Amino acid sequence: LLFPEVRTRQTRDSWFKSLFVRKVDPRKDAHSNLLAKKEENNLYKIQFHNVKPECLESYNQLCEGMLPKIHADPQYSCELVGTWNTWYGEQDQAVHLWRYRGGYPALTDVMNKLKQNKEFLDYRKERGKMLLARRNQLLLEFSFWNEPLPRPGPSIYELRTYQLRPGTMIEWGNYWARAIEFRQHNHEAVGGFFSQIGSLYMVHHLWAYKDLQSREDTRNAAWQHEGWDEVVYYTVPLIQHMESRIMIPTRASPLK
């Protein structure tokens, strides 16, 4: 038996926790099938390259000579969405985002063809001399987000990365399906993705702004919309870790 004060405390704790958790209906399908775009069979790859500080300019020039060639060659079923250097966040880092129209078969086909491309192999060998570390992820795009398309710029880009608690991806998607309408007024929403291979339960939101002050003004303006506060209130407890990168497009980037 519990003493009355113990039962009271447990009731109070349960009520307090309920403020931060909103239940979602049980699902019997993978969240990738429930949250990804059905009409498009797009797969994305994001690459993070940590470059030796003294090699960053040479690295950029090397990429500018190779990546647009792959993007423009019709034999490769892939498109360079954007390529950036991190301005604020992890320093001396390059970020590349690729789209594979046709999903995993397109990815496999491109990788097999690149293995036969001597120019690409030479590029990769030279690139390896300039890197300290690299990692990548395969991503799907949320059905309710824009497809990232080339922009004229000039813009700065923010990549906000969220490591979610396992099992909360559908709940996150439910809230952001409504929240994205609050973040379209200045055309700042570029793309939203969730991981399939690599670090799992990870979400990436990509935003474009004129400058840092425009970013501040746009983010503050979202709080004037009824419902934005609720989205923040209920999604913050779903996050284990979050990170923001401010990125500058390189000359080779379709997203300027």
Side-chain angles (χ1 to χ4, degrees):
L1 293 177
L2 295 176
F3 293 108
E5 61 270 20
V6 175
R7 290 198 300 269
T8 301
R9 185 171 63 252
Q10 289 183 341
T11 301
R12 184 175 63 249
D13 290 345
S14 177
W15 172 84
F16 182 74
K17 290 178 181 178
S18 72
L19 293 176
F20 295 94
V21 179
R22 175 167 290 187
K23 303 295 184 182
V24 294
D25 294 334
R27 302 290 185 175
K28 296 184 179 180
D29 201 355
H31 64 246
S32 59
N33 293 331
L34 296 167
L35 296 174
K37 292 182 178 178
K38 300 294 191 298
E39 67 276 12
E40 301 286 347
N41 188 21
N42 289 339
L43 180 70
Y44 290 81
K45 178 172 71 176
I46 192 167
Q47 300 172 298
F48 299 95
H49 290 173
N50 292 348
V51 185
K52 296 176 182 178
E54 67 275 14
C55 295
L56 186 59
E57 185 57 36
S58 297
Y59 171 91
N60 286 337
Q61 292 175 359
L62 185 69
C63 291
E64 288 165 10
M66 188 71 237
L67 303 189
K69 291 182 180 179
I70 299 174
H71 173 80
D73 193 330
Q75 74 167 311
Y76 300 114
S77 303
C78 63
E79 304 163 12
L80 181 63
V81 177
T83 174
W84 304 267
N85 290 154
T86 299
W87 185 21
Y88 289 103
E90 195 162 354
Q91 296 293 283
D92 303 307
Q93 186 179 71
V95 180
H96 310 294
L97 182 63
W98 294 88
R99 174 169 48 229
Y100 297 84
R101 295 195 184 275
Y104 291 106
L107 171 69
T108 302
D109 182 64
V110 170
M111 294 299 101
N112 288 337
K113 289 176 178 176
L114 286 176
K115 290 177 183 177
Q116 310 303 318
N117 184 328
K118 183 179 184 304
E119 185 179 8
F120 175 78
L121 295 177
D122 290 343
Y123 150 81
R124 191 170 65 176
K125 183 178 180 180
E126 190 65 25
R127 184 191 68 185
K129 301 174 184 177
M130 304 179 184
L131 298 183
L132 295 170
R134 62 192 179 100
R135 61 186 175 90
N136 60 23
Q137 289 178 307
L138 296 181
L139 314 170
L140 295 178
E141 57 188 330
F142 284 109
S143 60
F144 47 85
W145 268 79
N146 320 7
E147 179 175 307
L149 298 173
R151 293 185 177 215
S155 299
I156 64 170
Y157 289 81
E158 180 177 19
L159 183 66
R160 295 179 71 86
T161 300
Y162 305 90
Q163 179 66 61
L164 302 186
R165 291 191 293 107
T168 62
M169 186 66 74
I170 291 176
E171 190 172 0
W172 178 273
N174 287 342
Y175 281 113
W176 268 96
R178 291 182 291 137
I180 191 63
E181 66 182 87
F182 304 133
R183 299 297 311 276
Q184 297 279 14
H185 299 284
N186 291 328
H187 307 289
E188 68 267 27
V190 178
F193 314 92
F194 59 97
S195 61
Q196 287 292 284
I197 296 179
S199 297
L200 299 179
Y201 285 97
M202 186 165 284
V203 169
H204 300 286
H205 290 176
L206 184 61
W207 309 93
Y209 304 102
K210 179 182 177 182
D211 51 35
L212 288 175
Q213 186 58 53
S214 172
R215 170 187 177 273
E216 180 75 4
D217 295 341
T218 300
R219 288 176 53 81
N220 287 339
W223 290 94
Q224 307 306 313
H225 297 286
E226 183 178 355
W228 176 253
D229 57 341
E230 180 184 1
V231 170
V232 174
Y233 185 80
Y234 284 108
T235 55
V236 165
L238 309 181
I239 301 169
Q240 288 186 329
H241 174 75
M242 58 189 295
E243 182 179 6
S244 170
R245 290 176 177 84
I246 301 297
M247 309 184 302
I248 304 296
T250 68
R251 288 186 290 268
S253 181
L255 287 170
K256 302 296 185 185

